[in-house]
């Protein structure tokens, strides 16, 4: 298995635009006996780059299962709401525009939000990324 599992979430503006990116990196598989993935939210804009550690459990992945369908229905999604790790929210703003935010409640209390113009097929991409991480996480 590859060392880097990739990104569970990757939302980015198309090339040639503002260059905003919000991603949830999964740098490595869980250690034996650990029930969670050590992950990292990364938010990038023209002037800011921030990263926030996050712990994602199998239950969290289950909770994420319905998010692509909710987003496809043009509805707000909030994930990782337990207060134990970083919270992630996506809100459709207008056709072709979403607002994504990451809130580091447990540690710094910092919230970073960016508008994004995701490419066509971004919701299907979310589904595929979730399935890949679930497959690798379950071993």
């Amino acid at each position: 298995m590859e060392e880097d599992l990739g990104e569970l979430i990757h939302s980015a503006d198309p090339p040639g635009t503002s260059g905003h990116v919000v991603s949830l990196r999964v740098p490595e598989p869980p250690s034996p006996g650990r029930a969670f993935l050590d992950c990292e939210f990364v938010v990038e804009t023209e002037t800011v780059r921030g990263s926030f550690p996050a712990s994602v459990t199998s239950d969290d992945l289950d909770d994420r299962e319905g998010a692509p369908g909710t987003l496809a229905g043009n509805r707000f999604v909030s994930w990782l709401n337990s207060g134990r790790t970083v919270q992630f929210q996506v809100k459709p703003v207008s056709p072709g525009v979403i607002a994504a935010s990451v809130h580091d409640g447990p540690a710094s209390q910092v919230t970073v939000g960016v508008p994004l113009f995701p490419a066509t097929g971004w919701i299907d991409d979310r589904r595929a990324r979730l399935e890949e991480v679930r497959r690798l996480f379950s071993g």
Side-chain angles (χ1 to χ4, degrees):
M1 175 169 24
E2 289 182 13
E3 176 102 355
D4 188 333
L5 297 182
E7 295 173 320
L8 173 56
I9 296 171
H10 182 85
S11 297
D13 288 335
T17 61
S18 69
H20 295 171
V21 176
V22 176
S23 61
L24 178 59
R25 292 187 58 247
V26 185
E28 59 189 43
S31 301
R34 290 186 78 186
F36 59 89
L37 292 168
D38 289 319
C39 300
E40 175 186 41
F41 272 102
V42 177
V43 180
E44 298 178 61
T45 73
E46 309 86 354
T47 57
V48 175
R49 183 182 194 283
S51 63
F52 306 89
S55 298
V56 176
T57 67
S58 179
D59 288 342
D60 293 331
L61 294 177
D62 291 346
D63 291 344
R64 180 107 183 113
E65 193 78 36
T70 301
L71 290 168
N74 205 33
R75 294 187 317 268
F76 172 83
V77 169
S78 185
W79 184 52
L80 300 173
N81 300 316
S82 69
R84 70 171 162 70
T85 194
V86 175
Q87 180 183 35
F88 178 64
Q89 297 180 335
V90 177
K91 178 181 178 183
V93 178
S94 62
V97 182
I98 61 173
S101 68
V102 177
H103 175 66
D104 184 20
S108 68
Q109 296 294 309
V110 169
T111 300
V112 179
V114 296
L116 294 162
F117 302 86
T120 302
W122 71 279
I123 292 175
D124 290 334
D125 178 67
R126 290 260 171 111
R127 286 184 180 111
R129 288 173 187 275
L130 174 61
E131 284 308 309
E132 181 65 11
V133 169
R134 284 172 91 48
R135 186 181 67 77
L136 294 171
F137 188 34
S138 65

